Amino acid sequence: MATNRERTETTQLALLEAARALFVSKGYGDTSTPDIAAAAGITRGALYHHFADKRDLFRQVLAREAMAVAADIEAATPEPLGPREALLEGSEAYLNAMTVPGRTRLLLVDGPAVLGMAEIMAIDDANAAHSLREGLVRAGMGRGEVSVDALSQLLSAAFDRAALEIDAGADARQVRAAMRWLIEQALGPVRKR
């Protein structure tokens, strides 16, 4: 027999998965809470028991997506990798993670429109942007010449644009090659030991 906690987690997961599918297929604006509740097989009252409103549910969907991207980056950059290799592998992992159907729309199109840039940046800063900043620091980027925070923000914007380009049908190989080139240029020449 399931505990209250297990039932709560099962209900929340059903709502998150149903909401994600609808937000991807219909968009945030055209998705209603009755649609979400029906898709999850749950009453609207149960939805409001677990989430304050549709926006709160959307925020939680985005947080899960952002955590999944960060987890993919972390998995692609194990500790034994050197800083340069980790940054390059993490870059590729980000672009791979963003190819999950609907993820680019959720995180880079609807997310900023619904939650605003400040909130979406906070979600990103806790996940993929954090991984990027840590990778830059570990690789010694900036070296006192430029702010690592500013560099991280600019590179993060370039990665987001690359993900949007790939999602829109651009040649993924060309976009990935351009991003790799950009990171390699920022890293500078390989230092001999």
Side-chain angles (χ1 to χ4, degrees), residues 54-93:
K54 182 172 83 166
R55 192 170 188 269
D56 181 40
L57 179 54
F58 183 70
R59 181 183 302 108
Q60 295 306 314
V61 167
L62 265 63
R64 288 182 74 217
E65 293 294 315
M67 285 187 273
V69 171
D72 286 355
I73 293 168
E74 293 298 320
T77 57
E79 204 52 45
L81 280 182
R84 182 182 193 91
E85 296 77 23
L87 197 53
L88 291 168
E89 291 300 318
S91 299
E92 188 66 25

Side-chain angles (χ1 to χ4, degrees), residues 20-168:
R20 185 199 190 281
L22 288 167
F23 291 145
V24 169
S25 66
K26 295 173 70 172
Y28 178 84
D30 290 332
T31 299
S32 68
T33 54
D35 293 339
I36 296 167
I42 293 165
T43 67
R44 236 175 113 198
L47 184 151
Y48 288 113
H49 175 75
H50 295 285
F51 300 96
D53 53 22
K54 182 172 83 166
R55 192 170 188 269
D56 181 40
L57 179 54
F58 183 70
R59 181 183 302 108
Q60 295 306 314
V61 167
L62 265 63
R64 288 182 74 217
E65 293 294 315
M67 285 187 273
V69 171
D72 286 355
I73 293 168
E74 293 298 320
T77 57
E79 204 52 45
L81 280 182
R84 182 182 193 91
E85 296 77 23
L87 197 53
L88 291 168
E89 291 300 318
S91 299
E92 188 66 25
Y94 171 80
L95 293 175
N96 287 339
M98 292 303 287
T99 63
V100 169
R103 187 170 280 164
T104 298
R105 177 182 184 171
L106 289 170
L107 290 173
L108 302 180
V109 178
D110 290 350
V114 173
L115 300 179
M117 283 308 293
E119 194 166 349
I120 204 70
M121 294 293 284
I123 291 170
D124 190 37
D125 286 345
N127 294 285
H130 175 77
S131 296
L132 176 58
R133 187 185 187 292
E134 291 302 309
L136 296 175
V137 168
R138 194 168 160 228
M141 303 234 354
R143 299 173 196 73
E145 299 168 32
V146 296
S147 161
V148 174
D149 289 333
L151 183 59
S152 176
Q153 290 294 329
L154 292 172
L155 287 173
S156 182
F159 278 109
D160 290 351
R161 181 56 190 246
L164 286 165
E165 290 292 324
I166 292 169
D167 191 61

